[in-house]
Amino acid sequence: MKNISNILLDRRSIRKYTEKPLANELLNDILLKGCRTSTTGNMQVYSIIITRDAEKKRELAPSHFNQKMITEAPVVLTFCADFNRFSKWCRMRNAEPGYDNFLSFFTAAIDALLLAQTVCIAAEAEGLGICYLGTTTYMAHKIIEVLKLPAGVVPVTTVTIGWPAEKPEQVDRLPLEAVVHNEVYSDYSIRDIDIFYKTKEMRSDNQQFVKENSKDSLAQVFTDVRYKKSDNVLFSRTLLQVLKDQGFMNQ
């Protein structure tokens, strides 16, 4: 097992995996460790869907914009906000649950994301590689269909996991002083922004993104290409409909 401090500082997303299988015993051990993570009120309002079957992974792939690691990774984990199980337990014990609202979804989503991060760290400690996919909330309605998720359950993130077949260059991170505020929030001056984003903007890979997309700045790559307002609005509407359909918008 690797040193946790080194893992956290050296971590990188792995998108290519060897054909070496991931043993059930090791995966279960990783998930067991993950389930010891913090959770709101000790409710554990989350679920994990394990996908190993090749055909099921092919079904999932379009929901993740056909990114290759979905079908190539030995295991795909879908982490879900889940009040279905907890609400059933409440009713069976003559307690009426009141979790059909946005706050409850947000609570369960936090639980699921804390779980997912802990699972990722536990996996990396064993030498495994992981990749987080942000496409889950974009296409939650399709993932719900593929994984047959009942009301009260919403997918919030997906992680591929397997033995690394690559060691890519680490992506950039803002300096610590860009994200840490002491006692109260200290708003950013123009000079602060220039200083904090200079290294990111000067990286050769990011400059290449700007060139490839015929943009004037890296910021324009984000606003005009990668995360456009039109897409954000569309996916927001879709996710809000998912929350309504899954029973989390009664307020």
Side-chain angles (χ1 to χ4, degrees):
M1 182 176 292
K2 296 184 177 181
N3 180 278
I4 293 296
S5 295
N6 292 339
I7 290 168
L8 295 175
L9 290 174
D10 191 49
R11 79 153 315 278
R12 57 202 72 211
S13 294
I14 302 298
R15 295 176 172 83
K16 295 180 180 179
Y17 304 93
T18 71
E19 295 182 358
K20 180 181 177 181
L22 175 53
N24 284 328
E25 294 79 8
L26 178 56
L27 179 58
N28 287 341
D29 180 67
I30 289 167
L31 297 181
L32 183 63
K33 291 172 181 174
C35 288
R36 294 305 308 176
T37 199
S38 301
T39 172
T40 305
N42 198 28
M43 292 188 290
Q44 289 188 268
V45 282
Y46 53 67
S47 282
I48 311 164
I49 313 299
I50 301 172
T51 304
R52 287 184 177 274
D53 179 73
E55 180 57 37
K56 185 59 69 174
K57 286 190 284 188
R58 282 192 289 271
E59 285 185 59
L60 274 176
S63 299
H64 294 287
F65 303 163
N66 290 308
Q67 296 179 81
K68 287 185 177 180
M69 55 270 201
I70 287 292
T71 53
E72 294 178 355
V75 173
V76 178
L77 302 176
T78 305
F79 295 87
C80 303
D82 183 356
F83 257 109
N84 174 56
R85 180 184 64 250
F86 192 81
S87 294
K88 285 187 173 181
W89 172 67
C90 289
R91 292 190 177 99
M92 289 173 62
R93 299 297 184 267
N94 196 31
E96 185 57 33
Y99 309 119
D100 55 350
N101 45 70
F102 180 75
L103 178 63
S104 295
F105 164 73
F106 197 60
T107 296
I110 291 170
D111 271 17
L113 291 171
L114 287 170
L115 165 66
Q117 182 58 36
T118 306
V119 166
C120 288
I121 294 171
E124 289 173 323
E126 297 292 343
L128 289 156
I130 63 93
C131 186
Y132 154 77
L133 287 88
T135 42
T136 306
T137 48
Y138 299 161
M139 302 293 285
H141 57 304
K142 296 298 184 181
I143 295 172
I144 286 170
E145 292 179 6
V146 174
L147 299 182
K148 304 185 186 307
L149 304 181
V153 183
V154 176
V156 293
T157 195
T158 300
V159 172
T160 56
I161 181 171
W163 300 104
E166 63 172 352
K167 189 175 182 180
E169 183 181 358
Q170 276 191 307
V171 297
D172 57 277
R173 287 291 186 264
L174 293 174
L176 195 61
E177 56 267 30
V179 298
V180 174
H181 303 255
N182 290 306
E183 310 302 343
V184 297
Y185 191 99
S186 178
D187 207 354
Y188 303 95
S189 67
I190 293 174
R191 181 174 180 274
D192 290 335
I193 297 297
D194 283 338
I195 292 172
F196 294 152
Y197 282 87
K198 182 177 180 179
T199 300
K200 178 186 285 286
E201 292 175 326
M202 294 302 294
R203 276 180 60 117
S204 59
D205 53 353
N206 287 336
Q207 290 183 344
Q208 183 64 27
F209 291 152
V210 175
K211 182 179 179 180
E212 288 174 353
N213 289 283
S214 301
K215 295 298 176 181
D216 297 325
S217 69
L218 181 62
Q220 288 182 359
V221 175
F222 281 88
T223 61
D224 301 350
V225 181
R226 297 187 67 187
Y227 301 102
K228 299 183 292 185
K229 180 177 180 178
S230 57
D231 289 342
N232 293 336
V233 171
L234 173 63
F235 292 132
S236 292
R237 289 173 177 165
T238 302
L239 182 57
L240 287 171
Q241 186 61 49
V242 165
L243 297 185
K244 181 179 180 180
D245 293 344
Q246 296 300 93
F248 283 109
M249 295 298 283
N250 183 24
Q251 59 263 328

